Amino acid sequence: MSTTYETRYASSPAETKHMDTEALRSNFLIEKLFEENKVTLVYTHYDRYIAGGVMPVGQVVRLETIDALKAPYFLERRELGLINIGGAGTVTVNGESFDIDFKEAMYIGQGNEEVLFSSKEDNKPAKFYINSAPAHHAYPTKKVTKADAEIVELGSLETANHRVINKLLVAGVVDTCQLQMGMTELKTGSVWNTMPAHTHDRRMEVYCYFEVPEGQAVCHFMGQPQETRHIWMQNEQAVISPPWSVHAGAATSNYTFIWGMAGENMDYGDMDGCAITALK
């Protein structure tokens, strides 16, 4: 079987505030996303969200169902989004193939029984970062490039958060049930993301950090605004953010990160802001 998974249960603010470093990492950090010729997944009980990665090398890798879904195939009651953070690859959905290049995205709707992943070159394999959420309707499969995205430029070099937000799988670009995904690229000299910090109690979120230069690292901040914690992260790792938690980061260099979220509201601007000076 090429698909493996682990389960992460939901944690409340009360118990999270007492976690030490190892407990925080084991509950929220996804350390290894990509293994050769495997689909590696984390099933979280925050909105039943799944995050993981696929890295095909020299063979086609099939997305298989997992026991936690109690379904004959993975997308029977789910939708899936992906962004390629590696070499050029191909995703085949029920016999239809889509070429997905670096930083290109794809949405795959509910009801698609067969999903196959492959790379164009074995020495530069594709790395498909995937997110999945429960679905109630079958929307069409669609490839989305940065040219299709809704793009917003925010921040400034003076506040070290000059960044470009590429909204790839969001309303207005592609129809989804609840899944949203996008990619934020920080400019040279900027290190902070998602500042001022915020929470959105009706949606959970997962961040995947990549393009972190060798020898550099990201410090991801989480927790309630008045009870924050941090997790140090390396390149191509992901972190789960509960609905009650802030989610922001600073690194020792500029970088790129993918945000994915699901919940009961599709409004990207649905958030409760927190002043920087109010964080503790």
Side-chain angles (χ1 to χ4, degrees), residues 69-169:
L69 300 183
K70 306 300 182 188
Y73 59 95
F74 192 91
L75 294 177
E76 184 191 39
R77 299 184 301 272
R78 285 189 159 265
E79 58 186 353
L80 183 146
L82 64 85
I83 298 175
N84 185 6
I85 64 172
T90 301
V91 180
T92 302
V93 181
N94 284 357
E96 183 179 5
S97 294
F98 300 81
D99 291 333
I100 309 295
D101 211 339
F102 182 58
K103 291 187 176 180
E104 292 185 337
M106 184 175 179
Y107 173 80
I108 305 174
Q110 175 192 12
N112 287 290
E113 294 190 33
E114 184 181 67
V115 181
L116 307 173
F117 304 95
S118 61
S119 298
K120 297 287 189 181
E121 300 178 35
D122 292 346
N123 61 351
K124 193 178 180 182
K127 294 179 178 180
F128 299 108
Y129 173 65
I130 62 177
N131 285 187
S132 174
H136 61 272
H137 183 81
Y139 286 112
T141 295
K142 183 178 180 180
K143 172 182 173 178
V144 178
T145 69
K146 288 174 69 175
D148 304 315
E150 180 185 337
I151 297 176
V152 179
E153 190 167 343
L154 294 175
S156 68
L157 186 59
E158 287 75 17
T159 49
N161 67 348
H162 189 193
R163 61 199 189 274
V164 176
I165 300 173
N166 303 276
K167 301 179 185 180
L168 294 160
L169 306 184

Side-chain angles (χ1 to χ4, degrees), residues 13 42 52 63 93 115 127 140 148 159 165 200 211 215 217 235 261 274-275:
V42 170
L63 177 65
V93 181
V115 181
K127 294 179 178 180
D148 304 315
T159 49
I165 300 173
H200 30 71
E211 291 193 313
N235 189 43
M261 49 191 165
C274 177

